[in-house]
Amino acid sequence: MSTFPKNLLEGYQNFLDGTYSQRSDRYKELALKGQNPETLVIACCDSRAAPEIVFDSGPGEIFVLRNVANLVPPYNAEGRYRSSVAAIEFAVVSLGVRHIVVMGHGRCGGVAAALDERRKALDEGDAIGHWISLLDPAIEAAAKGGESSSCDHAHDPGAGKEASEADLRRTAVERMSVSKSIGNLRTFPYVRDREESGALTLHGAWFDISEGVLWVYDPDNETFAPALER
Ligand SMILES: [Zn+2]
């Protein structure tokens, strides 16, 4: 008897009956011609913030890189960060995406872990610890109260609870890390060249999972604002 998760098989059946049967021509076309997505979305692994669901994207529409806390390492980072760098290189250089969206989200466990005062000193086997140490510049900048860390109306308290000091701090770091990741993208020579020529545009966003609100980063004044009136 198969031990494959039953809920996944049920979901797959729904996909076959729904999305796949409605869009089978598109899937066949993509199989024959290859993918040509216009946008790379860099998002967290978190099960509550899937870009294809948030953006209601169809097959072939967005190229997605997901990692813990939606981080972009600096281009010249150590080898342990290279899988994310490889995905970015493939999207930009091989696929020629025209947009990169770094999307953070509320209640990010990766950010919460980086802020945890009980965080231990790094040892070689601590993959998550090494990875989330990439958040240190965002934690530092948020502590200094940069504009992009402003959390007015963005406390994502959930279930009607008041935002605690810890919630506000986490939100500030979640947002600051988006702008830091955009800064790190500009350390990639092929990203910088394409941005300067106008072939590529970088964007930041933050998804409030409790209210479903997408906040978009405004680089001119380093703040976030809701993407749409609701
Ligand atoms: Zn997360």
Side-chain angles (χ1 to χ4, degrees):
M1 189 177 149
S2 170
T3 56
F4 201 83
K6 192 165 174 280
N7 62 322
L8 296 191
L9 288 176
E10 287 168 359
Y12 170 59
Q13 185 66 60
N14 289 341
F15 163 74
L16 277 184
D17 297 341
T19 301
Y20 191 80
S21 69
Q22 288 152 18
R23 311 197 70 169
S24 58
D25 289 349
R26 178 67 177 142
Y27 276 100
K28 287 183 172 66
E29 183 191 11
L30 284 164
L32 279 174
K33 294 184 180 171
Q35 61 173 332
N36 187 25
E38 280 204 357
T39 303
L40 161 64
V41 180
I42 299 170
C44 185
C45 298
D46 193 298
S47 58
R48 303 163 295 179
E52 293 90 340
I53 294 177
V54 172
F55 296 113
D56 194 22
S57 305
E61 205 175 327
I62 57 175
F63 189 83
V64 177
L65 163 61
R66 296 181 75 169
N67 60 38
V68 172
N70 44 269
L71 297 173
V72 176
Y75 179 67
N76 290 320
E78 299 167 62
R80 58 168 56 95
Y81 304 134
R82 300 304 281 175
S83 74
S84 289
V85 171
I88 293 165
E89 181 179 310
F90 182 70
V92 174
V93 177
S94 300
L95 296 176
V97 295
R98 296 178 57 201
H99 301 274
I100 301 178
V101 176
V102 180
M103 185 177 81
H105 70 96
R107 312 234 148 204
C108 182
V111 171
L115 285 168
D116 191 337
E117 284 163 7
R118 294 161 300 171
R119 190 171 145 196
K120 297 190 187 96
L122 294 174
D123 66 44
E124 256 320 292
D126 183 2
I128 291 181
H130 277 284
W131 179 253
I132 61 176
S133 69
L134 289 169
L135 281 162
D136 288 348
I139 292 172
E140 208 173 298
K144 287 179 186 158
E147 275 297 305
S148 64
S149 69
S150 165
C151 347
D152 290 352
H153 315 297
H155 43 68
D156 185 24
K161 291 181 202 145
E162 277 303 306
S164 69
E165 200 59 38
D167 288 335
L168 293 171
R169 186 166 178 234
R170 195 193 56 246
T171 301
V173 174
E174 287 161 359
R175 291 172 156 212
M176 184 60 81
S177 79
V178 169
S179 60
K180 292 285 179 196
S181 282
I182 291 172
N184 283 347
L185 280 169
R186 293 191 171 114
T187 67
F188 290 53
Y190 42 83
V191 169
R192 197 170 52 231
D193 289 351
R194 283 167 173 79
E195 190 184 28
E196 279 170 11
S197 73
L200 178 64
T201 310
L202 309 184
H203 312 268
W206 180 84
F207 178 61
D208 174 346
I209 57 173
S210 74
E211 303 293 331
V213 179
L214 183 75
W215 293 67
V216 170
Y217 180 61
D218 176 354
D220 292 337
N221 50 28
E222 300 184 346
T223 55
F224 284 77
L228 297 174
E229 301 257 341
R230 295 174 80 206

